[in-house]
Amino acid sequence: MKVFFRTIHLYLSLAAGIVIFCSCLTGTMLVFEKEIEHTLHPKLYYVRAAATRVPLEQMINAALKQVPKAKLASAMVYNDAARTVEIGLIVPEKKGKKGSAAQAEKGRPAAAQGDKDKKTKEADRANLSVFVNPYTGQVTGQYSRRQSFLYSAEMFHRFLLAGKDSLGDWVVSISTLLFLFILITGVILWWPKTKNVMKQRLKIKWGGSTKRLVHDLHLVTGFYTSIFLIVIALTGLIMTFKLANQALFAITGSKLVKEQPKTPQSKYQAGAKALKVDAALQAVAAQTALADYYTVRVPKDSLAVYSINILPKGAVETTADTYYVDQYSGGIAGAQLFAAKSLGQRVRAYVKPVHTGSVYGLPTKIISFVVCLLSLIFPVTGVMMWLNRTRKKTKTYRKLELV
């Protein structure tokens, strides 16, 4: 039976090994993306705290003056006194623009995309961040993530730089599925028959021969990281394949919601002026005071509402609550609370943080980084072991021919 699993393990590894290696390498880079960016550009993210802050409306206007042709997408405000306010802007891109960033945002053709809400959401996504000092109202700098190296690394990690629903997207997706089978067959092949063999497979014999060292690096590190890598592969599949996503909701006994709930509207008042951002925020002042950060989206027309996304302190970034504020009365027009969502929706919200290692902050990021780093060993040692066996078989055949 193990011969069968060894054959599957070998050929699947040879078929997807290069893509898996590249995915693990780029995944390792992306674990500490935020920390890297904050270290490289500290003046963008941090300022000296002062006693009073200027109105958010003033910060938004300062950002828009920096980029006259841009439209406001959102404003992200941190409760950390040392953090700048991030104003997300939508800057019109030149027609016919090419490259990984443009390719990635293409999405599906209109006929296959589904509903118009998804297209609108893509169009409303900020492509430039302007950082503003909340105490002086002065712009500290601009940053386009789409032009950064780490963004390119993410696009390579997800689509091989080819864009969503491209051949590269499918290659990565299928390789992730194969990786899951490789990990499962690897655990089966590792499983020892006796306790003495188990002791050998739980530690690396550093003083052994080169072949023994390669063998131990492949088997021992594979065993210790297999559970983590299986989780990473499974979460990747859930984000990639509709069937895997549907299976998650079926397992949790929840109904898969294909469309987002309708956003409430403001009660239009003839002759009335819309409230400024700071006035609208008063409706959720108690919630924002207890948040790590909150994101504000302003109304797009006379019937729209203020959309305020609030992440409670210590919560996972995908578990925020959303409040809708009437732009005329300043009252709460509705809310989408994370706690009120179905079990399937709540579990689904944790899929990406688990995949990236950010679910419990720095401790899980370190684990994810180490696991991804160690996973780079498997394709290399696996090929070395395969070549050693191939050479050994060749020598055996030659000896038999001579006899």
Side-chain angles (χ1 to χ4, degrees):
M1 183 60 72
K2 282 202 171 184
V3 175
F4 172 72
F5 285 117
R6 185 175 287 109
T7 303
I8 294 175
H9 186 82
L10 172 63
Y11 286 106
L12 291 183
S13 299
L14 290 174
I18 294 176
V19 178
I20 292 169
F21 180 86
C22 292
S23 293
C24 291
L25 178 61
T26 50
T28 304
M29 297 177 187
L30 293 167
V31 171
F32 289 106
E33 180 182 4
K34 287 185 179 180
E35 288 78 3
I36 292 171
E37 292 295 348
H38 289 191
T39 302
L40 292 176
H41 311 287
K43 292 182 179 179
L44 290 179
Y45 298 95
Y46 299 100
V47 293
R48 287 186 179 181
T52 58
R53 299 166 72 99
V54 301
L56 182 57
E57 187 80 24
Q58 182 179 330
M59 299 184 220
I60 292 172
N61 291 334
L64 290 171
K65 285 180 180 178
Q66 288 284 314
V67 192
K69 294 183 180 180
K71 293 182 179 179
L72 177 66
S74 62
M76 184 178 290
V77 183
Y78 292 85
N79 271 335
D80 183 349
R83 289 295 300 271
T84 54
V85 172
E86 299 180 24
I87 310 298
L89 301 180
I90 303 168
V91 182
E93 294 183 353
K94 294 180 180 179
K95 292 182 179 180
K97 182 179 178 181
K98 297 180 180 181
S100 61
Q103 293 280 345
E105 297 301 325
K106 270 186 180 178
R108 300 186 179 102
Q113 186 121 3
D115 51 29
K116 293 181 180 179
D117 293 338
K118 187 172 182 181
K119 290 165 66 179
T120 303
K121 188 177 179 181
E122 290 290 335
D124 291 343
R125 190 171 294 170
N127 53 20
L128 178 68
S129 294
V130 177
F131 299 83
V132 182
N133 187 322
Y135 306 103
T136 64
Q138 294 180 341
V139 172
T140 61
Q142 300 178 15
Y143 177 72
S144 176
R145 182 174 177 269
R146 296 185 188 184
Q147 296 177 5
S148 68
F149 169 76
L150 289 175
Y151 182 79
S152 297
E154 182 186 347
M155 293 303 101
F156 192 89
H157 180 80
R158 295 171 61 188
F159 315 123
L160 296 180
L161 298 178
K164 188 173 176 62
D165 289 331
S166 63
L167 178 61
D169 187 0
W170 280 102
V171 168
V172 172
S173 301
I174 298 300
S175 296
T176 304
L177 181 60
L178 296 181
F179 189 33
L180 180 61
F181 285 106
I182 291 168
L183 291 167
I184 294 171
T185 54
V187 172
I188 294 171
L189 291 172
W190 175 92
W191 205 262
K193 293 181 178 180
T194 64
K195 290 183 178 180
N196 289 332
V197 176
M198 177 174 280
K199 289 180 180 178
Q200 293 176 359
R201 293 185 179 179
L202 288 175
K203 58 182 180 179
I204 299 172
K205 189 176 181 181
W206 297 103
S209 63
T210 302
K211 288 184 179 180
R212 177 59 188 270
L213 182 60
V214 169
H215 178 272
D216 286 357
L217 283 172
H218 191 81
L219 268 69
V220 178
T221 56
F223 169 72
Y224 285 117
T225 60
S226 59
I227 297 299
F228 299 102
L229 289 172
I230 287 172
V231 171
I232 291 172
L234 281 172
T235 51
L237 291 173
I238 291 171
M239 291 188 291
T240 302
F241 291 107
K242 288 182 179 180
L243 286 176
N245 191 55
Q246 291 169 355
L248 172 64
F249 279 84
I251 291 170
T252 56
S254 306
K255 184 180 179 181
L256 178 61
V257 181
K258 295 182 179 180
E259 295 182 359
Q260 292 291 333
K262 289 185 178 180
T263 303
Q265 293 184 332
S266 297
K267 293 181 180 179
Y268 180 71
Q269 299 177 18
K273 291 184 178 181
L275 296 172
K276 299 293 185 181
V277 176
D278 300 276
L281 285 170
Q282 292 302 313
V284 291
Q287 290 84 355
T288 56
L290 300 174
D292 264 347
Y293 64 82
Y294 57 91
T295 305
V296 184
R297 293 182 181 276
V298 299
K300 297 175 185 176
D301 54 50
S302 60
L303 292 177
V305 291
Y306 278 99
S307 177
I308 305 168
N309 212 39
I310 302 174
L311 183 70
K313 287 183 179 179
V316 179
E317 60 184 353
T318 53
T319 63
D321 297 323
T322 303
Y323 293 88
Y324 301 104
V325 177
D326 189 298
Q327 64 171 298
Y328 301 107
S329 68
I332 296 178
Q336 290 182 23
L337 303 181
F338 180 76
K341 293 182 178 180
S342 67
L343 177 60
Q345 289 174 311
R346 296 198 304 271
V347 173
R348 181 63 178 83
Y350 281 91
V351 168
K352 185 178 179 181
V354 169
H355 184 78
T356 60
S358 63
V359 62
Y360 288 120
L362 185 60
T364 48
K365 280 190 174 186
I366 293 173
I367 292 172
S368 183
F369 177 80
V370 172
V371 168
C372 289
L373 195 62
L374 290 175
S375 67
L376 299 176
I377 295 173
F378 308 143
V380 177
T381 54
V383 170
M384 292 175 71
M385 290 169 64
W386 173 63
L387 289 174
N388 287 333
R389 286 178 184 174
T390 304
R391 290 168 184 168
K392 187 176 181 180
K393 287 182 180 179
T394 303
K395 289 180 180 179
T396 304
Y397 290 145
R398 285 178 180 177
K399 286 181 179 180
L400 289 172
E401 288 174 358
L402 290 172
V403 174

